[in-house]
Amino acid sequence: MDKLQLRFLFLILFLTLPHLVKSQFRLNLESGAAFSQYNDVRVPNAEANAGTLFSLHDDFSPQPTAFFRVEMSYLIKGRHKVELTAAPLQIVYQDAQLGEIDFAETTFSGEEIDGTYQFNTYRASYRYRVVDNDKWKIDLGATVLARDARIALTQGNLEAEDTDLGFVPLLSFNLNYSPKEKLSLVLKGDALVGPVGRAEDIFAGIYYPVWKEGLQLKAGYRLIEGGADVDQVYNFAYIHFASLGLVYDFPSD
């Protein structure tokens, strides 16, 4: 775990520990398997000295990948929800099938070229509950996403990378439909489209209570899709997630 991840987790604990005894506090843990559908890269992307356009998914062999994310939220006065999320992700790709790759002003040629795609995100979200009844709960708001991204190629002792640490504003939503007392259908995500790129992180699934004291089983599908087309880098990726997790609503005093 790197320093940025540790700082974010300490921030989560600092902000949420005073509220652990409140019924509005929720802990959401999620894990499972991640699969890439496409992951296209060119570094640099400027026409004057553009690198090779290649696909980490199609031109390499993607390795099995597990993921983990944690969400902590606090519902204030039944309407205002503040949420913090840590979602690290790293996918390894091996054995490039291309004869030569120009990447980050470094030339790789021959066999045993491996790749790494890192997309760690840390988010602070605010959503307002616009609908609240027995069947529907709908929250709308915004998210500030801090991304710690890295794309790297290695071949023996040769290594090159492109890193990106920055912040992105996103629109945020959470739809919860309860057709039965013990079942909730959930559609939740952050997304935004801009002039040079886009970003979507969306979960669709179910929550089902497994313990009367506030513990729910979570299962479903998540997608992360998007990227940027700028002079420094061209990268668009689509990652699928088979997700399983637990959601716990802390009891009141």
Side-chain angles (χ1 to χ4, degrees):
M1 184 175 291
D2 60 30
K3 291 182 180 180
L4 182 60
Q5 292 173 328
L6 285 172
R7 289 171 184 169
F8 190 83
L9 289 176
F10 280 130
L11 176 61
I12 288 176
L13 292 173
F14 176 77
L15 293 176
T16 56
L17 279 175
H19 308 297
L20 288 177
V21 297
K22 302 294 185 180
S23 61
Q24 295 91 342
F25 180 79
R26 168 172 284 190
L27 176 64
N28 192 326
L29 303 176
E30 182 181 336
S31 186
F35 312 89
S36 59
Q37 177 172 325
Y38 59 76
N39 197 336
D40 301 328
V41 179
R42 179 165 55 209
V43 178
N45 190 39
E47 292 185 7
N49 61 336
T52 303
L53 178 62
F54 62 93
S55 169
L56 282 168
H57 178 76
D58 295 333
D59 299 324
F60 292 69
S61 298
Q63 300 304 294
T65 302
F67 78 96
F68 176 80
R69 65 191 287 153
V70 56
E71 298 175 356
M72 297 182 180
S73 63
Y74 185 61
L75 184 63
I76 304 169
K77 296 183 178 180
R79 289 287 183 179
H80 308 273
K81 177 169 282 190
V82 178
E83 185 174 87
L84 298 174
T85 304
L89 175 66
Q90 180 170 291
I91 302 177
V92 174
Y93 301 85
Q94 294 182 344
D95 301 326
Q97 303 301 309
L98 294 175
E100 184 174 288
I101 304 175
D102 290 326
F103 172 79
E105 300 181 349
T106 303
T107 300
F108 297 82
S109 61
E111 300 178 347
E112 298 182 355
I113 304 172
D114 298 331
T116 300
Y117 176 79
Q118 173 186 296
F119 193 70
N120 300 333
T121 60
Y122 310 93
R123 310 170 197 211
S125 304
Y126 167 78
R127 291 186 293 271
Y128 180 77
R129 183 152 294 174
V130 296
V131 176
D132 188 1
N133 56 49
D134 292 340
K135 295 289 187 181
W136 290 93
K137 290 179 173 55
I138 301 177
D139 304 335
L140 300 176
T143 291
V144 176
L145 179 148
R147 66 173 180 269
D148 176 18
R150 176 178 178 264
I151 303 171
L153 295 185
T154 59
Q155 185 184 31
N157 294 325
L158 186 63
E159 181 175 0
E161 66 178 14
D162 179 80
T163 61
D164 182 23
L165 181 62
F167 296 87
V168 179
L170 302 171
L171 299 178
S172 185
F173 63 90
N174 185 14
L175 285 71
N176 190 307
Y177 174 59
S178 301
K180 298 181 179 180
E181 181 180 356
K182 292 188 176 182
L183 178 66
S184 294
L185 307 179
V186 178
L187 180 65
K188 178 181 178 182
D190 302 314
L192 192 68
V193 177
V196 297
R198 60 184 181 270
E200 305 98 38
D201 183 342
I202 299 173
F203 171 83
I206 63 170
Y207 288 5
Y208 189 84
V210 293
W211 188 37
K212 64 180 181 179
E213 297 299 330
L215 184 65
Q216 300 178 79
L217 177 67
K218 169 185 179 180
Y221 163 77
R222 179 180 297 279
L223 70 86
I224 290 180
E225 195 277 339
D229 182 1
V230 294
D231 286 346
Q232 179 185 357
V233 58
Y234 175 92
N235 176 228
F236 283 90
Y238 191 161
I239 314 296
H240 303 271
F241 300 84
S243 173
L244 187 66
L246 293 172
V247 179
Y248 183 61
D249 293 313
F250 282 78
S252 58
D253 297 352

